[in-house]
């Protein structure tokens, strides 16, 4: 049974705190195994990657067959139905249009002291995208990771995607094609992450690695962080729905279940100011679970981590949501814009009952790679900014240096960094001689 | 002796590759010790922090004396000379003006399908700033970390700064005051990071931790990453100077040494198109080293990690610099703006010979917390963006859902996520009934 909480319950504070601190990670500790795999790939390159792929994916490769050939890509793409292709292309177009607006601008100005200051953004040169294989090979994730990289101007975009037993998902390959991916390798696990970070004879290294994966992939990304950049380490997913009584209980039940069906450790939370409506949604969820193909997963998630919270008003609902800092937040209320103004922490907000969260997963335009496990308190979803970096710029004139240099010299002295001070002093002395 | 390379040398490629891959980290492996400290602080809170401070900092505290009192802050601040105060205030003012321009803008638009899309930026609620104690307690680092946080709108800004043996650096306390820091605790090491991440009875937890520290602090930040956000893990610092012959060799020697004096594992690299000028700068460096207070550190850095590279022209110099991706890059050439246009990876660029890197450390305005160890290939210096996060927004009208919903439904089916598709279908069916 999901948890039922009412903010007027005497034990509400403790129960809500428990809800916030529930440990939903079920990742096994694979760190030692991953360290060994990375060391092996650094040492033996292609040979290690090929052996590990044989072992874990039951697939025999050679350096020549690590990458998909052009003919293989075209053969895979030809298997996609025109309807699926059209849907993927519409999604790509909308994701591209949204992310194009995220490109940050360069700046340059000259201040009163005569110093010219500013910054410039440049793209990461090469990025690697991890795409999980098998059932969780989601073409939508390819678009959500690859398109921001290409919009940012990444020159070389590499996908690694394991194909256990050689099974290829044609939609994933098509998504790579649509997004402009430059190379696709049929490898996965920690060995693929190591190959991207350190390079092999066949696979040149990249500068940044993004994309979701299992415990091995997550541990490998943590380990190569520093050598390359990584995106966030994704945890189990969650949705919080704030709804007033003027909603169709079945719509909201489906929205809650669309999170629950992802994963046994996904979390779906309904927050409403109407106890009767809460009961209606709960009943709809229970009625719908057995009808789902993924009934077992969705049922386990709802039973173990689901929650229904009744508040005295919507302001209280917003305040609780801010403590959860949910990855996905639906505002199914009469004035969603007003309520959004009270939200301080959330990965993505879906405004109004006509905006089911699933729209954001596929086709809305915003990214579906979002901060999980309360990390929306301090981090953002994937964006073009993940594939660019900023170089700050400063230029002094002699007059500007004369104006502010002495303060730099003094602070350098205060920090006992003599050469710092002298590098300024040598120039100031020259000015005094002039 | 520093390395001397000329791009026309037959073994240049191999030697440059060696320079790029030199391991400069000398951090001992303290991970197990740090894990134990964090577990202890999570378990026992204040008591653990107090015990560890007694052990490592030889300082006896109580829960009441963990924080600096108002009277203690004022007493420390009163010790600062008016000249030092004025320098710190000018630095703060310039850093604030620069970072104020970094505040990103919200966006909202309605597209052709009728979907209203956009994003909103909100500040991190509470941030913790680690300030090293002892000799490396740099007031400039307090400003560089704290001011972006306050510009971003962080409500609660906490500093932890160990005071081994009770010794307080008045300039550090004054920098906290000027920057608007809300709480200062006299604790450090992994125990301070753990207290910030998990909270104790006395210290409320924060959402993000930034700031430099020793191996224990770095390991602790890595471990609490996920529970809270962290900034980059700083490695040893480096400077690359590209210079033509029309420069004062001594100025450039001082610039190279102002990096070398930081740390035995700092790296200073001169790249010039003039072999004779290279020799002059090298001679000036050798001449100056013994005159420095930190002669031993600067000498070791220059001997072990310094490099002088002669190129055939400045374009080649820029290309080499891009492979290094230096933290600091000085362009001491006739047309620094033109050369800057060829730079793709660098933390900060200093344009022209009148802009010594030390200006950027203290007073220029840009941040001095910059990506080290070649990570400018994929990351940026500290900025206001590190203290805000983006929430994406989407709102569908019924017409917008009718236009793009079917594609979302199809992609959900292709990914076998049935409830996702049904959450869209339920709404589309309603529209068909209407």
């Amino acid at each position: 049974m999901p948890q039922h909480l009412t903010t007027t319950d005497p034990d509400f504070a403790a129960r809500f705190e428990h809800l916030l601190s529930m440990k939903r990670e079920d990742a096994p500790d694979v760190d030692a195994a991953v360290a060994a795999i990375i060391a092996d790939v650094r040492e033996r390159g292609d040979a290690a990657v090929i052996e590990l792929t044989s072992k874990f994916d039951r697939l025999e490769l050679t350096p020549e067959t690590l990458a998909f050939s052009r003919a293989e890509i075209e053969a895979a793409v030809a298997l996609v139905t025109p309807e699926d292709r059209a849907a993927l292309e519409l999604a790509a177009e909308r994701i591209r249009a949204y992310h194009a607006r995220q490109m940050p601008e360069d700046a340059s100005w000259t201040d009163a002291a005569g110093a010219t200051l500013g910054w410039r953004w440049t793209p990461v040169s090469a990025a690697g995208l991890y795409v999980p294989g098998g059932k969780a090979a989601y073409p939508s994730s390819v678009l959500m990771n690859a398109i921001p990289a290409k919009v940012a101007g990444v020159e070389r975009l590499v996908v690694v995607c394991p194909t256990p037993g050689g099974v290829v998902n044609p939609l994933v390959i098509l998504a790579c094609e649509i997004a402009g991916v430059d190379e696709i390798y049929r490898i996965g696990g920690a060995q693929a992450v190591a190959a991207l970070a350190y390079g092999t004879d066949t696979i040149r290294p990249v500068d940044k690695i993004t994309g979701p994966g299992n415990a091995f992939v997550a541990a490998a990304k943590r380990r190569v962080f520093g050598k390359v950049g990584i995106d966030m380490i994704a945890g189990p997913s969650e949705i919080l729905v704030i709804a007033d009584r003027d909603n169709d209980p079945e719509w909201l039940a489906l929205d809650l279940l669309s999170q629950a069906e992802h994963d046994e450790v996904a979390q779906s939370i309904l927050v409403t100011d109407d106890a009767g409506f809460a009961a209606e949604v709960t009943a709809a969820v229970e009625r719908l679970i057995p009808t789902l193909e993924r009934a077992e997963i969705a049922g386990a998630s709802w039973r173990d981590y689901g929650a229904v919270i009744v508040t005295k008003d919507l302001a209280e609902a917003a305040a609780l949501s801010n403590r959860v800092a949910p990855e996905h937040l639906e505002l199914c209320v009469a004035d969603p814009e007003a309520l959004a103004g009270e939200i301080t922490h959330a990965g993505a907000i879906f405004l109004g009952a006509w905006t089911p969260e699933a729209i954001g997963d596929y086709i809305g335009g915003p990214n579906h790679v979002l901060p999980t496990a309360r990390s929306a308190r301090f981090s953002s979803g994937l964006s073009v900014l993940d594939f660019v970096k900023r170089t700050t710029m400063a230029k002094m004139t002699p007059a500007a240096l004369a104006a502010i240099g002495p303060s730099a010299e003094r602070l350098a002295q205060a920090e006992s960094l003599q050469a710092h001070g002298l590098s300024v002093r040598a120039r100031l002395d020259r000015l005094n001689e002039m």
Side-chain angles (χ1 to χ4, degrees), chain A:
Chain A
M1 278 294 288
Q3 301 179 53
H4 287 267
L5 291 78
T6 300
T7 53
T8 51
D9 289 345
D11 61 349
F12 175 77
R15 291 187 63 201
F16 185 72
E17 194 57 50
H18 169 73
L19 186 69
L20 285 183
S21 58
M22 279 180 91
K23 191 162 166 55
R24 294 191 286 130
E25 284 287 1
D26 61 350
D29 186 1
V30 296
D31 203 44
V34 164
I37 290 171
I38 293 174
D40 192 19
V41 172
R42 287 185 72 174
E43 171 94 16
R44 298 194 301 127
D46 284 339
V49 171
I50 287 168
E51 265 180 48
L52 291 160
T53 304
S54 169
K55 180 176 167 190
F56 292 121
D57 295 342
R58 309 169 310 283
L59 186 68
E60 304 308 323
L61 297 175
T62 65
E64 292 68 38
T65 57
L66 279 173
F68 278 84
S69 68
R70 176 65 6 216
E72 287 171 320
I73 290 170
E74 281 166 16
V77 161
L79 297 173
V80 177
T81 66
E83 293 76 13
D84 282 353
R85 174 189 276 271
L88 212 53
E89 282 174 345
L90 179 62
E93 184 190 312
R94 293 184 57 84
I95 295 164
R96 200 173 288 120
Y98 183 92
H99 288 78
R101 292 184 181 244
Q102 290 180 330
M103 271 304 280
E105 285 184 17
D106 296 348
S108 178
W109 66 92
T110 301
D111 69 16
T116 300
L117 303 172
W119 60 77
R120 244 181 34 191
W121 294 92
T122 46
V124 168
S125 295
L129 162 54
Y130 192 95
V131 179
K135 279 212 164 175
Y138 293 146
S140 59
S141 289
V142 174
L143 299 184
M144 292 291 181
N145 280 271
I147 290 175
K150 280 294 172 182
V151 166
V154 171
E155 226 170 84
R156 177 170 162 258
L157 182 55
V158 181
V159 159
V160 291
C161 180
T163 57
V167 178
V168 174
N169 181 331
L171 267 177
V172 164
I173 304 295
L174 177 59
C176 290
E177 283 287 282
I178 290 173
V181 169
D182 300 291
E183 303 162 21
I184 313 174
Y185 296 96
R186 56 187 116 219
I187 59 174
Q191 59 272 22
V193 174
L196 288 174
Y198 291 98
T200 70
D201 284 345
T202 305
I203 304 170
R204 280 181 297 148
V206 301
D207 302 301
K208 175 131 192 177
I209 301 175
T210 71
N214 62 17
F216 284 84
V217 173
K221 281 170 67 181
R222 252 185 211 276
R223 282 205 159 254
V224 300
F225 172 51
K227 167 69 180 166
V228 299
I230 63 168
D231 61 340
M232 68 199 80
I233 305 284
S237 188
E238 70 262 343
I239 190 171
L240 189 148
V241 178
I242 300 181
D244 60 28
R245 62 175 304 147
D246 297 325
N247 276 284
D248 184 325
E250 188 151 319
W251 291 13
L252 302 199
L254 285 166
D255 297 352
L256 294 167
L257 288 170
S258 71
Q259 201 59 36
E261 74 174 344
H262 269 296
D263 195 339
E264 288 89 346
V265 293
Q267 183 166 52
S268 303
I269 302 175
L270 172 71
V271 185
T272 177
D273 59 353
D274 187 302
F277 181 72
E280 285 178 62
V281 176
T282 308
V285 169
E286 304 286 347
R287 189 171 66 243
L288 284 163
I289 286 174
T291 73
L292 295 179
E293 286 157 20
R294 298 167 70 96
E296 211 159 316
I297 293 172
S301 160
W302 179 245
R303 178 191 67 225
D304 294 340
Y305 300 107
V308 177
I309 304 177
V310 178
T311 59
K312 63 179 195 296
D313 54 31
L314 293 177
E316 192 176 52
L320 292 179
S321 176
N322 288 338
R323 291 186 59 196
V324 174
E327 181 189 12
H328 306 101
L329 173 60
E330 282 189 9
L331 301 180
C332 299
V333 297
D335 188 349
E337 284 82 2
L339 196 58
E342 297 179 46
I343 300 300
T344 53
H345 310 307
I349 299 181
F350 303 87
L351 297 137
W354 289 98
T355 317
E357 184 274 331
I359 285 292
D361 284 337
Y362 294 113
I363 204 135
N367 211 288
H368 79 195
V369 181
L370 293 165
T372 56
R374 308 192 57 220
S375 62
R377 293 175 295 124
F378 55 81
S379 64
S380 308
L382 198 70
S383 80
V384 168
L385 289 179
D386 289 288
F387 298 99
V388 294
K389 61 269 181 336
R390 184 187 47 242
T391 300
T392 60
M393 316 281 283
K395 183 180 191 178
M396 299 294 130
T397 56
L401 194 70
I404 68 172
S407 290
E409 188 186 15
R410 177 161 283 277
L411 291 171
Q413 287 163 351
E415 293 186 355
S416 299
L417 292 172
Q418 186 192 10
H420 284 67
L422 290 176
S423 72
V424 176
R425 173 47 49 196
R427 286 147 166 114
L428 293 176
D429 284 346
R430 178 73 47 84
L431 281 176
N432 291 338
E433 292 159 15
M434 279 157 77

